[in-house]
Amino acid sequence: MATVAELRDAAVRLGGRTLWEQLDLSIEGGEFLAVLGPNGAGKTTLLKVLLGLLDLSAGSASVAGLSPRDGRDRIGYVPQLRAFDRTLPLRGRDLVRLGFDGHRHALARGSGDAAGAVEEALQAVDAVAYADAPIGLLSGGEQQRLRIAQALLGRPPLLLCDEPLLSLDPSHQQEVTALLHRRRRQDGTAVVFVTHEINPVLPYVDRVLYLASGHWALGSPDEIFSSERLSALYGTAIDVVRIRDRIVVLGADGQGEACHHHVHP
């Protein structure tokens, strides 16, 4: 698979604080990259850099061989789940249609008109059955499927997901992650998935980028989730313990706050 996004010797410094630096990262087509770390570590900041919304303090970034601003229409974006007003008259298909203009260049390369593209995206996420219902009356899982459909318009080579599982119950978390996995397998879409909880996505993750205390670690889940690796990253003692079918990570982040992830191995 070709490289769809790349960071070289990249750094972000905000308010006199270094979020991360000397980051080298190549994201390949079809890869599922989970991005983890405590609050304020720079996870969403990484997505902003790739979207061209924030300039690096040092180093370089590219998307599909272009600058992030020029490569923006090659990216699909799934935001954090926020509930819609129950009285909002917007239908599910109307929400998906709002994403058409952002992908008009990709769509012009061969996926037909807006109505056809929206219908294709709805079918891809199995959301046709409730596409004409008011979006405010749909469940969180149904709303998130529609956001994914919007992000998949134009079959972008890169999909950025910012905590898309927040406020979803375990069954809907499972549905959403399985859907993303299926789409990346079918279309070769790379998925960058920001999350606080590794467990729901672990079966699908190829690599983990863990950001903490101004540093970073990159590798497979087994490589990252070890006491030695996380202790070195945080600069303090971190315990990684296997309890039956889980891995529990206990310790403190750079602000002295407890951090823990429950992980099915």
Side-chain angles (χ1 to χ4, degrees):
M1 288 285 188
T3 299
V4 298
E6 194 168 41
L7 295 170
R8 285 287 169 261
D9 200 24
V12 171
R13 302 180 183 93
L14 296 174
R17 187 167 71 94
T18 297
L19 296 185
W20 34 265
E21 62 184 350
Q22 297 180 322
L23 176 59
D24 290 320
L25 174 65
S26 293
I27 302 168
E28 307 299 321
E31 179 176 15
F32 198 120
L33 175 73
V35 182
L36 285 95
N39 291 332
K43 303 185 298 295
T44 298
T45 298
L46 175 66
L47 301 190
K48 289 181 179 179
V49 168
L50 292 172
L51 286 165
L53 301 176
L54 181 69
D55 291 330
L56 289 169
S57 304
S60 63
S62 64
V63 174
L66 304 169
S67 72
R69 284 189 178 88
D70 292 335
R72 198 176 294 168
D73 67 351
R74 272 76 166 180
I75 297 175
Y77 176 64
V78 181
Q80 294 181 16
L81 177 62
R82 292 183 176 85
F84 290 96
D85 189 315
R86 292 181 62 84
T87 64
L88 186 68
L90 191 74
R91 300 175 302 167
R93 71 173 63 252
D94 298 328
L95 176 71
V96 177
R97 173 65 174 79
L98 291 174
F100 183 81
D101 289 340
H103 292 280
R104 62 189 182 278
H105 301 304
L107 290 162
R109 293 195 288 271
S111 58
D113 61 5
V118 167
E119 192 65 26
E120 180 184 351
L122 289 168
Q123 291 174 0
V125 301
D126 299 324
V128 174
Y130 46 85
D132 292 308
I135 192 166
L137 300 181
L138 298 177
S139 70
E142 290 168 339
Q143 290 179 11
Q144 204 66 321
R145 278 178 177 264
L146 291 166
R147 287 185 174 93
I148 294 170
Q150 183 190 79
L152 290 174
L153 279 172
R155 298 181 180 272
L158 177 61
L159 188 64
L160 306 180
C161 304
D162 189 8
E163 299 273 11
L165 304 183
L166 283 180
S167 304
L168 294 182
D169 61 40
S171 65
H172 283 128
Q173 289 182 351
Q174 224 171 28
E175 290 175 5
V176 168
T177 52
L179 168 62
L180 292 172
H181 172 67
R182 185 168 73 248
R183 297 307 300 172
R184 65 119 172 191
R185 287 300 191 206
Q186 290 177 359
D187 290 344
T189 301
V191 177
V192 177
F193 196 101
V194 169
T195 180
H196 274 92
E197 176 57 74
I198 188 65
N199 178 51
V201 298
L202 189 62
Y204 313 113
V205 169
D206 297 306
R207 290 191 297 167
V208 172
L209 173 63
Y210 204 116
L211 306 173
S213 304
H215 304 291
W216 55 272
L218 179 65
S220 70
D222 284 343
E223 290 171 333
I224 297 303
F225 285 99
S226 72
S227 298
E228 295 77 15
R229 193 73 180 270
L230 290 185
S231 294
L233 183 65
Y234 277 98
T236 190
I238 300 292
D239 293 318
V240 179
V241 183
R242 292 180 182 269
I243 303 175
R244 296 185 184 141
D245 61 345
R246 296 183 302 167
I247 295 174
V248 182
V249 179
L250 297 170
D253 67 14
Q255 309 302 317
E257 299 173 352
C259 73
H260 52 275
H261 302 284
H262 301 282
V263 186
H264 288 292

